[in-house]
Amino acid sequence: MIPEFSFLVWLLISLVIIFLFVRLLYLTSLFCIISRCLTILVNQFHIYNQYKIPQYNDDFQENPLFRKIFTYIKSLPSLGDSDFAALYSGDKPGDILVSLDSNGYVMDTFLHAQLIWMYNKKRDNDHGGEVVLKIKAKDKKRILVPYIQHIYKVVDEIEKKKKELRVYINRSSCVDGLNNPLWRSFPFVHPSSFDNIVLDDDVKTKVKNGLELFLKSKQYYNKIGRVWRRSYLLYGGPGTGKSSFAAAMAKFLSYDLYDIDLSKPSDCSDLKMLLLQTTRKSLILIENLDWFMMGESNGISLSKVLNFMDGVVSSCGEERVMVFTMNCKDHIDPLVLRPGRVDVHIHFPFCDLNGFKALALSHLGCKDHKLYGQVEDLFQQNGSRLSPAEVSEIMISNRMSPTRAIKTIIKALQSEDVKQLNSGEQQLNRSGSDQVLEDLDVPDSKVKRDAYYAIREIQKMYGRLRLKNSRTKSLDLT
């Protein structure tokens, strides 16, 4: 009995010791250290092939495969076990995103083969970063191509579920270090759509039909030898909805929006670099192009704009839509507006009676009102005097009282200041010409106002003569 009892005691003590030892391994880093040592030892008996996927190619264009692989890596469950992981806040409150940090690695398994992903961030004198795939030589032929196809499939599913558009803004060219990206991105949550923008329904229908046709025209553009790209000019006075319309175009296409601030690039090479680092399925927006071309302080000249619009570099990317906005196009050189550089011209007028009724319905819920007759008379007598943005703001400020909102608009339409500031535009409206209003500082005196509009009329006549002498014309939806 004594030997048996002694054996049981020693067995119990051994089990306790083993339990404490295993417990110690899990509560400390000993388990990880032993596991890592065993992995390193086993790896010494295998030959690995390494494949680098750089973020940018030799021409500084973004590598689409890099973005897909990085998205795939962020979806791996094993990423949380990496020794070098970075945490970021998500776009929604409370979201925490895990990403692979520089010099870190993460394990993946595919068809019973083990793969290792590493991320190397380049140093100051290099550009971008790179991910590295380590795969056993014996598994390379069997799984490499199917694995890449698997990555594409997973990422496509992620992007379909996510469906998040982003807006990109360019950084200043004086940012130190080539490894700093030229673009910063944010979630694209603009509320504009073709349904809530005040513009002629026929014009909006033509634009939507044209964009739908563009999406299906890859083979056609390749057949005729042209870059799969479309360009639009949105012109009209301040507050007429040009920027909102560009945002609605991007949402309709489900394209990311690249908003280029021309005051930041220091020279033409910076503009080209910005264009090279845009992606497929993107809308490139340049606002107030006429303002930048009028002044040379930022180094933006006519030749630089022309090279940006249809130079060799601009042909390096397909499936893009370029949108330019202007307050006035009459004094712009016809070379800028010729077909190929600008394919479609869309005019944004001031708010007319139909636009007023559309805004009243959406902002105030009024299909009809007893004051509509008075508003209609003012539009017939004086034409359009207020921009849609001004009418919208009046309605928003008085949304609790539709009557007060409409009375305020009537007073604004009757205002002498509005009448003086828009007299030039009213003459253009009566003659059937384009309505133009630049966002400039208008002097207070009546004499200076008259001189201002006289100069504007001369500029417009000169611009029409130049346009008339051009051999071809772009499609003008107005």
Side-chain angles (χ1 to χ4, degrees):
M1 295 293 296
I2 295 176
E4 293 179 359
F5 177 76
S6 176
F7 172 76
L8 292 175
V9 171
W10 282 109
L11 180 61
L12 180 61
I13 293 174
S14 300
L15 291 175
V16 171
I17 292 173
I18 293 173
F19 173 77
L20 293 176
F21 179 72
V22 173
R23 182 77 172 172
L24 180 65
L25 290 179
Y26 276 98
L27 293 179
T28 63
S29 300
L30 291 176
F31 183 81
C32 294
I33 294 173
I34 295 173
S35 176
R36 185 174 299 175
C37 291
L38 290 174
T39 302
I40 294 174
L41 181 62
V42 172
N43 288 339
Q44 297 302 317
F45 296 96
H46 294 282
I47 299 176
Y48 282 86
N49 292 117
Q50 295 189 12
Y51 298 91
K52 294 182 179 180
I53 300 94
Q55 185 174 2
Y56 299 103
N57 60 21
D58 295 336
D59 298 324
F60 302 108
Q61 288 182 289
E62 186 176 17
N63 183 2
L65 182 59
F66 176 88
R67 175 178 291 191
K68 288 185 177 292
I69 288 178
F70 213 76
T71 301
Y72 174 77
I73 291 175
K74 290 191 290 186
S75 69
L76 292 175
S78 57
L79 182 60
D81 299 330
S82 175
D83 295 335
F84 294 91
L87 298 179
Y88 300 94
S89 59
D91 298 327
K92 298 180 181 179
D95 282 354
I96 301 296
L97 305 179
V98 183
S99 181
L100 188 62
D101 198 11
S102 179
N103 301 319
Y105 71 92
V106 62
M107 312 290 289
D108 191 19
T109 303
F110 181 74
L111 296 179
H112 307 290
Q114 191 176 63
L115 306 100
I116 302 174
W117 286 106
M118 297 181 295
Y119 174 55
N120 298 326
K121 198 171 187 179
K122 294 298 184 76
R123 304 202 174 209
D124 294 339
N125 295 328
D126 294 323
H127 200 74
E130 64 182 15
V131 290
V132 180
L133 172 63
K134 288 184 63 176
I135 183 173
K136 293 178 182 178
K138 66 175 185 177
D139 298 327
K140 179 181 67 172
K141 293 183 179 180
R142 180 173 64 92
I143 71 166
L144 181 58
V145 175
Y147 184 57
I148 298 299
Q149 294 173 346
H150 166 72
I151 291 175
Y152 270 84
K153 184 177 180 180
V154 171
V155 173
D156 288 343
E157 291 296 328
I158 293 174
E159 291 179 347
K160 286 181 181 178
K161 292 180 180 179
K162 197 173 182 182
K163 289 185 179 179
E164 180 189 71
L165 302 180
R166 301 192 71 82
V167 57
Y168 293 79
I169 58 174
N170 57 305
R171 294 173 179 265
S172 175
S173 60
C174 62
V175 176
D176 295 330
L178 289 174
N179 61 323
N180 290 312
L182 297 179
W183 295 99
R184 295 181 61 190
S185 68
F186 306 91
F188 183 34
V189 292
H190 202 286
S192 292
S193 67
F194 285 125
D195 294 331
N196 55 31
I197 288 180
V198 178
L199 191 64
D200 185 81
D201 289 337
D202 291 339
V203 174
K204 291 192 288 186
T205 300
K206 290 180 181 178
V207 172
K208 288 191 290 186
N209 292 340
L211 293 175
E212 289 177 344
L213 182 62
F214 171 78
L215 292 174
K216 305 173 184 177
S217 301
K218 179 178 181 179
Q219 294 182 352
Y220 176 76
Y221 275 82
N222 291 336
K223 177 182 177 181
I224 64 175
R226 289 190 59 177
V227 180
W228 189 18
R229 187 188 63 202
R230 193 77 168 155
S231 56
Y232 292 79
L233 172 65
L234 315 181
Y235 66 99
T240 52
K242 302 183 294 294
S243 300
S244 298
F245 194 83
M249 292 174 67
K251 290 178 63 177
F252 181 81
L253 293 166
S254 294
Y255 279 10
D256 291 331
L257 191 149
Y258 287 81
D259 188 357
I260 298 182
D261 184 354
L262 289 180
S263 65
K264 293 181 179 179
S266 59
D267 53 30
C268 188
S269 61
D270 288 338
L271 281 174
K272 292 179 179 179
M273 190 65 66
L274 285 172
L275 191 59
L276 284 172
Q277 293 192 13
T278 59
T279 60
R280 293 174 57 251
K281 294 187 177 181
S282 60
L283 185 146
I284 301 170
L285 173 63
I286 297 182
E287 298 190 87
N288 301 318
L289 181 61
D290 55 338
W291 186 87
F292 286 103
M293 294 188 65
M294 292 287 288
E296 298 285 338
S297 59
N298 63 328
I300 303 298
S301 63
L302 176 62
S303 61
K304 294 176 183 178
V305 172
L306 296 182
N307 287 331
F308 177 82
M309 294 175 75
D310 69 343
V312 176
V313 174
S314 68
S315 303
C316 294
E318 290 191 322
E319 204 171 359
R320 291 178 172 89
V321 172
M322 302 185 74
V323 178
F324 308 93
T325 71
M326 295 182 183
N327 288 333
C328 173
K329 72 169 186 175
D330 287 345
H331 59 276
I332 299 298
D333 195 303
L335 290 174
V336 179
L337 305 178
R338 70 162 177 79
R341 293 193 174 112
V342 178
D343 301 312
V344 181
H345 296 205
I346 305 175
H347 176 230
F348 286 75
F350 282 113
C351 187
D352 57 9
L353 180 61
N354 292 331
F356 164 79
K357 290 182 177 180
L359 289 172
L361 180 60
S362 61
H363 287 55
L364 304 175
C366 290
K367 293 184 178 180
D368 197 5
H369 195 277
K370 61 182 180 180
L371 296 175
Y372 273 13
Q374 188 175 352
V375 175
E376 183 175 359
D377 292 340
L378 287 172
F379 275 116
Q380 290 178 351
Q381 294 173 9
N382 304 320
S384 303
R385 295 184 174 182
L386 300 174
S387 68
E390 292 172 319
V391 175
S392 176
E393 180 56 33
I394 293 174
M395 291 181 177
I396 292 174
S397 300
N398 299 277
R399 60 185 180 275
M400 302 305 295
S401 176
T403 301
R404 184 170 65 246
I406 297 174
K407 286 183 177 179
T408 305
I409 292 172
I410 291 174
K411 291 180 181 179
L413 291 172
Q414 294 171 338
S415 173
E416 288 298 324
D417 294 335
V418 175
K419 181 177 180 180
Q420 292 174 355
L421 290 176
N422 290 277
S423 59
E425 278 69 31
Q426 300 311 312
Q427 294 175 4
L428 291 174
N429 285 340
R430 294 188 188 100
S431 63
S433 302
D434 294 334
Q435 181 187 41
V436 180
L437 180 63
E438 291 186 72
D439 188 11
L440 300 174
D441 292 329
V442 181
D444 292 334
S445 67
K446 186 177 184 302
V447 176
K448 289 184 178 181
R449 280 197 190 95
D450 295 339
Y452 168 78
Y453 284 111
I455 294 174
R456 286 294 311 281
E457 290 298 325
I458 294 173
Q459 289 177 336
K460 292 168 187 173
M461 291 175 62
Y462 175 69
R464 291 192 188 95
L465 289 174
R466 298 186 69 178
L467 289 173
K468 185 177 180 180
N469 291 331
S470 60
R471 294 182 179 180
T472 57
K473 295 184 179 180
S474 300
L475 174 62
D476 195 326
L477 295 183
T478 60

